[in-house]
Amino acid sequence: MSVVIVGSINQDIVARVNRIPRPGETVLASTLVRTGGGKGANQAVAARRAGGASVAFVGAVGADPDGEMLREALVTDDIDVSGLSQVDGPSGTALISVDAAAENTIVVVPGANAVPTSLTSAQRDLVNAANVVLTQLEVPTSLVLDASAARHKQAWHLLNAAPSAPFVIDGAALLPSVDVLIVNEHEALDAAGVGDLDTAVTALATRVRALVVTLGRHGSLVVCGDERADVPAFAADPIDTTGAGDTFCGVFAATLDASGRSPATVDIPLLLQAARAGAAAAALAVTRSGAQDAVPTASEVLAFIERTNA
């Protein structure tokens, strides 16, 4: 069993503030923390800590001290970094403000993440060996397309379409290569190009095998063919929502991998199982600070679910 994440890795610089500043305004932060981040790397950590699956990360860091630190953080989580290349220039950086209500604003400077536009031969071999390939849009869309094309015929391609980006590059459409599309409400509206969520869900569901729309404290919606089902959120007292969506995606991917099933057999019960596991992990993550630092282990998630069901 294996999961490969092809995506971004960043140095997160997180400032805790009482409230997010308005345009032109300066506010004082109470703390400043530097930690590992990036949607792809966060998802890799979440998939690995979910237990069971071997996890490899494919991406790029810069030739700087941040790059080495980010690499070592993944190694500490027993993630295969043989597909993590080093390029000239700086590593990716995310500037994050988190307010007292646990909301955040994020500015990403892609750095090394923007450099690779296709896989190397060694990276392609890693992807081809995976049961589940998970991608996002913090890297060039051409890299996502290449990763999807490199997977074997029975492997899943999960796309977390965040942040929103065009689904067509050089004439090649991205969505036909996707088995499960994971988006939040705003990303769903952007991807469908319509103004209301129900219409967006209907439009997107016809273009992929399965669709998952995360709705924050309102849970998530899973769609497969003509079937739809709601997944309630787990109650939590959030202090930082920065990595919640990434935690959901990583655990979702690991759950599909553990099922031993192929995309051709996807159905609502499997999606519900994966979404519920992801939701529980995300609920725990928001009660902690940081992105990768906040990702819970499988035993922590299991205990949380048992307490919640008690």
Side-chain angles (χ1 to χ4, degrees), residues 55-165:
V55 176
F57 178 74
V58 172
V61 293
D64 56 10
D66 285 345
E68 187 58 32
M69 185 277 291
L70 293 170
R71 181 188 299 272
E72 288 304 314
L74 295 184
V75 170
T76 298
D77 262 296
D78 196 27
I79 294 168
D80 180 350
V81 295
S82 61
L84 179 58
S85 62
Q86 183 183 89
V87 300
D88 291 336
S91 298
T93 303
L95 308 174
I96 305 171
S97 297
V98 181
D99 71 11
E103 296 297 333
N104 61 67
T105 60
I106 304 174
V107 175
V108 175
V109 184
N113 295 304
V115 175
T117 56
S118 62
L119 300 174
T120 66
S121 177
Q123 290 171 335
R124 191 167 284 109
D125 288 343
L126 267 178
V127 171
N128 185 253
N131 296 322
V132 179
V133 179
L134 173 58
T135 62
Q136 330 77 36
L137 297 177
E138 274 189 343
V139 294
T141 309
S142 59
L143 184 64
V144 176
L145 278 165
D146 199 22
S148 184
R151 77 194 196 280
H152 67 75
K153 291 182 179 180
Q154 299 302 312
W156 298 82
H157 177 203
L158 278 57
L159 172 64
N160 174 215
S164 296

Side-chain angles (χ1 to χ4, degrees), residues 189-240:
L189 296 174
D190 286 348
V194 298
D196 70 276
L197 185 60
D198 190 62
T199 303
V201 168
T202 299
L204 292 174
T206 64
R207 302 173 69 185
V208 291
R209 290 183 187 270
L211 172 68
V212 179
V213 182
T214 59
L215 302 168
R217 66 180 182 274
H218 299 298
S220 59
L221 170 68
V222 298
V223 185
C224 186
D226 295 329
E227 295 186 85
R228 298 187 183 192
D230 295 312
V231 180
F234 287 83
D237 294 320
I239 65 170
D240 185 353

